[in-house]
Amino acid sequence: MSYSSSTDIRRNASPFLYGDEASSVARVLESGQYGHTDVTEEFERRLAHYLRVPDAVAVTSGTAALHTALVAAGVQPGAEVIVPSMTFCATVQTILAVGATPRFIDIDATTLCVTPDLIKEAITDATTAVMPVLFGGRAIDLTPIREDLAHRGITVIEDAAHAFGSRNPDGTGFVGSDNSVLTCFSFGAIKNLTCGQGGAVIPRTPDEAHTLRRLRLLGIEQSQSERAETTTYQVGGFGLRYPLSALNAAIGLAQLDHFDETAVTRRRLWRAYRTALSGLRDVPLIDVGADRAVPHLCQIRVPRRDEVFAHLRKAHIGVGVHYPPNHLQPAFAPWSRSLPATEQAGEEILSLPFHQHLTEADIALVVHALRAALEATTITPQA
Ligand SMILES: Cc1ncc(COP(=O)(O)O)c(C=O)c1O
């Protein structure tokens, strides 16, 4: 059976534009200044204001944010960085980019996130940083190991690519507002907040903000506006070319104006899935903690996932898999180890279409198709 009546359920993810992104970009095009301009700086101020944090440093992508954060944290070649295997490969590639070694760890099976105990078990004398991934938008409570990490001088670099707008586990503030961690966001095309492409690092101190800004601009000390006033500049250290362009920042500024609405819609749709799926047995929903999270993914576990995936794709339902485990990837084989929960999740997780173009009726169609796929694969769907 084909569910081609709704094109929205054919897509696993999709950006959602509110309409004023186009005029925001047009203003930048008309200005003739597309690079790192005061529009980028305005986006940084507005981001910081939204998250109630002192500062935010905008860069070209979430990958650039993680890379810059690792360099700013002083992670050197040969150092060990603890990272879950269950993440997008970008997290791991940034560890390799600084010459460090990924130490893959397992996840909690119900949340797909790391836990304080799993991190603690993996710490060695070589551990310099830990990169928890806020999977699907779920914030992670590191309270039990926070002091220990600080005592050992281990930096926490949160990969919050999925988690813009989510609240911290204690409910006190947004992800990014805990100033004992360096938080990295992605504003890629399908993220909760999109710049088309972009990212940001939330620094812990003003000094760190300065370092991050120097790093993202080829090591140059002066800001764009300071440079316009002088005939020279000073290259104070190593640097990359990662500043967010004004064109991308303009999209992000328009998106920020509507972000409260985005958060409400994504929570409503995630809960609609939860209700619709409650009638199915053997397909548990991955718990993103929707009371605090702005959900980024809607994932279930399903037996014989590859067959169910094929059935749903044939019915034009945009299912996906986030993610094939990294420790099983050829590029990361030297650091592979046995991670049972991750390996099982790698075989069972299935991401249902999840984006803001969906309606409750679309969700009912997806779940109807899932039920049919389960029946076709002789998995009993009735509760
Ligand atoms: C968990 C995770 N980390 C990092 C990234 C990298 O972000 P970007 O695509 O903006 O470079 C992504 C992007 O999908 C991601 O999902």
Side-chain angles (χ1 to χ4, degrees), residues 116-236:
D117 282 345
L118 290 165
I119 294 173
K120 203 169 164 186
E121 279 164 28
I123 293 174
T124 70
D125 289 344
T127 307
T128 309
V130 50
M131 298 175 88
V133 176
L134 280 56
F135 210 96
R138 186 188 181 90
I140 302 172
D141 186 5
L142 293 179
T143 312
I145 54 167
R146 199 177 299 274
E147 264 181 41
D148 196 22
L149 292 173
H151 182 69
R152 291 169 181 262
I154 297 172
T155 306
V156 181
I157 301 174
E158 274 185 340
D159 181 341
H162 295 179
F164 186 78
S166 293
R167 295 262 171 188
N168 285 327
D170 63 5
T172 54
F174 287 105
V175 163
S177 64
D178 173 352
N179 72 354
S180 69
V181 306
L182 258 167
T183 302
C184 298
F185 293 112
S186 163
F187 305 127
I190 53 152
K191 292 300 191 290
N192 289 358
L193 182 135
T194 186
C195 287
Q197 189 160 45
V201 188
I202 309 302
R204 293 169 293 183
T205 63
D207 277 355
E208 193 163 65
H210 179 82
T211 304
L212 287 163
R213 290 203 162 88
R214 193 178 66 188
L215 277 169
R216 73 154 176 203
L217 200 64
L218 300 165
I220 295 171
E221 295 286 355
Q222 292 80 5
S223 71
Q224 191 76 9
S225 45
E226 284 164 349
R227 276 200 293 150
E229 303 299 318
T230 65
T231 54
T232 188
Y233 55 77
Q234 196 182 327
V235 182

Side-chain angles (χ1 to χ4, degrees), residues 75-121:
V75 178
Q76 302 280 336
E80 220 170 67
V81 178
I82 295 174
V83 65
S85 168
M86 182 51 74
T87 180
F88 187 45
C89 56
T91 325
V92 187
Q93 293 288 21
T94 61
I95 298 170
L96 299 188
V98 296
T101 301
R103 178 157 172 89
F104 288 122
I105 60 169
D106 220 343
I107 41 168
D108 176 88
T110 55
T111 64
L112 305 186
C113 287
V114 298
T115 65
D117 282 345
L118 290 165
I119 294 173
K120 203 169 164 186
E121 279 164 28

Side-chain angles (χ1 to χ4, degrees), residues 17 43 54 60 104 113 146 193 207 211 256 267 278 282 288 312-313 365 374:
L17 301 181
F43 179 61
T60 47
F104 288 122
C113 287
R146 199 177 299 274
L193 182 135
D207 277 355
T211 304
L256 261 180
R267 284 195 188 106
S278 62
D282 294 335
V288 293
L312 287 167
R313 274 293 176 92
L365 276 180
L374 295 174

